[in-house]
Amino acid sequence: MSILVTGGCGFIGGNFILDYLASGGEKVINLDLLTYAGNRSSLAHLPLGSYELIRGDIRDQTLLEKIFSIHQPEAIVHFAAESHVDRSILGPETFIETNVLGTLRLLEMAKNYWKKSEGDLKENFRYIQISTDEVYGSLGPDDPPFKETTPYSPNNPYSASKAAGDHLARAYFHTYGLPVITSNCSNNYGPYQFPEKLIPLMILNALGDKPLPIYGDGLQIRDWLFVSDHTRALRLILKKGTPGQTYNIGGNSEKTNLEVVKTICRLLDSKKPKEDGKSYAELITQVKDRPGHDRRYAIDASKIKKELGFEPKISFEEGLNKTIDWYLDNKTWVDGILTGEYRSWLDTQYGQS
Ligand code: NAD
Ligand code: DAU
């Protein structure tokens, strides 16, 4: 039996496919449009019998019909998305196209396929909607962390588009009975992350002796989770999660952005000291704040711990060490990313390339 993963050439989807197959999963069909964020080389070494990449768009109904009829997947794990908040502020439309319309098309095809299926396939089929803690909005310093019952309150075009997709997924469970499970995870980091996001951007800028741009006062808080902990949680949800439920996933690791960037600089100072003898921390530069910047995210992950026995295993310090080592050791992957598109993004967002 196979599962259909969407967006598997991206950061979390790619790590999920590697983890799923390494843990005994039989076959993965990966539907990915290969946007700027998709990288087929991350999975190129996987054997053909257990992995197939289909380059295409989740909005393409004809393609979806063909994939369902040929591969008869037993589950869908839906990662494909436009995922970067800053890009959504500059151009929200593609976020609506992919995260809302694309999710709707996938749900509709999944519903038609599941309704026609029979026996074990019908009984065990699952649609996993990969969402984010950002849909819950922003917390004050003393607010309790987000629970699964916290009302959605998205503050930027990215999180609004993810919230809309999640509402559709919820509606497909309640209206049609499609066995949907939604996960809401905090900030991920680790190997294969596109360097527009905070941690890989800071690592690569530091190594390139470029400024490390901190938005505003740098005291915004995120809860960091190493990506392999996220993918393990998703495997548990796929296997043991209850249809119609949502599960929050977090790292129990709230840090300010300044703390994160200073830790990266400290680790780099010992792993790859600068030739001029200075600390990488001297590259930290305050820049203008992100509009509508959410101040704090924090996750109450007690439900997934109690119901599915999930807890993160990798501490922030350990995960950051692994991440920095990965970017230092994978120059070919990194060089493949530092293309014209990436340089033009740095120019648009930071006025530097
Ligand atoms: P990413 O940007 O690294 O990857 C997205 C992938 O989706 C890319 O491979 C891209 O080519 C593909 N894609 C985009 N549009 C597509 C389309 N129309 N059809 C098919 N494929 C398409 O994203 P990521 O950081 O790996 O995030 C994956 C999912 O996890 C997203 O849904 C995101 O909202 C969610 N999430 C991310 C984080 C995080 O910290 N990165 C945390 C929680 C949840
Ligand atoms: O919380 C989960 C979300 O985490 C996911 O849903 C998103 O897909 C993912 O991109 C991430 O969103 P954030 O906006 O939190 O991540 P980002 O890496 O863009 O930024 C993390 C924090 O660092 C945020 O407070 C903004 C700040 N930042 C970011 C960049 C890129 C800077 O200060 N400077 C920067 O250059």
Side-chain angles (χ1 to χ4, degrees), residues 45-46 60 76 90 98-99 109 116 148 174 179 246 249 253 267 275 278 282 285-286 310 326 338:
H45 62 284
L46 289 173
D60 183 342
I76 299 173
L90 291 175
T98 291
N99 302 354
M109 286 299 139
K116 276 189 259 157
E148 287 79 358
H174 284 277
T246 66
I249 309 169
S253 180
L267 294 176
E275 280 170 16
K278 294 182 177 168
E282 291 188 29
T285 310
Q286 197 174 29
F310 172 78
W326 189 88
L338 303 180

Side-chain angles (χ1 to χ4, degrees), residues 143-165:
D143 288 339
F146 302 128
K147 290 175 81 74
E148 287 79 358
T149 47
T150 304
Y152 273 27
S153 185
N155 288 323
N156 59 62
Y158 160 71
S159 54
S161 69
K162 288 297 290 184

Side-chain angles (χ1 to χ4, degrees), residues 165-339:
D166 295 356
H167 287 320
L168 287 167
R170 175 189 161 89
Y172 268 67
F173 171 76
H174 284 277
T175 307
Y176 306 110
L178 183 70
V180 169
I181 306 176
T182 299
S183 66
N184 294 82
C185 189
S186 62
N187 285 61
N188 282 220
Y189 67 104
Y192 302 109
Q193 187 167 31
F194 192 82
E196 63 191 355
K197 307 284 165 60
L198 181 74
I199 287 181
L201 177 92
M202 294 297 168
I203 296 172
L204 296 188
N205 272 20
L207 292 172
D209 207 20
K210 290 181 181 159
L212 307 180
I214 295 280
Y215 296 161
D217 62 8
L219 299 181
Q220 304 82 4
I221 291 173
R222 298 291 182 265
D223 170 17
W224 293 96
L225 180 73
F226 191 66
V227 65
S228 66
D229 275 327
H230 186 189
T231 59
R232 186 166 49 83
L234 293 176
R235 281 195 288 107
L236 274 171
I237 288 174
L238 192 56
K239 205 167 166 185
K240 301 202 294 189
T242 306
Q245 292 294 308
T246 66
Y247 297 92
N248 280 356
I249 309 169
N252 300 323
S253 180
E254 287 184 55
K255 309 268 175 227
T256 67
N257 295 336
L258 261 177
E259 270 178 280
V260 170
V261 176
K262 284 182 179 166
T263 311
I264 293 171
C265 292
R266 174 170 54 76
L267 294 176
L268 278 173
D269 283 340
S270 74
K271 286 177 194 291
K272 202 166 171 33
K274 280 182 82 190
E275 280 170 16
D276 60 10
K278 294 182 177 168
S279 168
Y280 288 99
E282 291 188 29
L283 296 169
I284 292 176
T285 310
Q286 197 174 29
V287 298
K288 80 172 171 12
D289 208 350
R290 173 186 277 176
H293 200 168
D294 285 337
R295 196 68 183 163
R296 173 175 167 240
Y297 303 145
I299 282 276
D300 177 339
S302 53
K303 177 176 173 181
I304 192 168
K305 182 176 174 189
K306 186 162 162 244
E307 294 188 13
L308 307 185
F310 172 78
E311 273 189 292
K313 284 185 183 160
I314 301 193
S315 71
F316 185 66
E317 184 89 8
E318 184 187 354
L320 209 47
N321 262 295
K322 282 174 185 277
T323 305
I324 292 173
D325 289 344
W326 189 88
Y327 281 91
L328 287 172
D329 293 346
N330 286 274
K331 198 171 166 355
T332 314
W333 188 92
V334 169
D335 288 347
I337 292 283
L338 303 180
T339 58

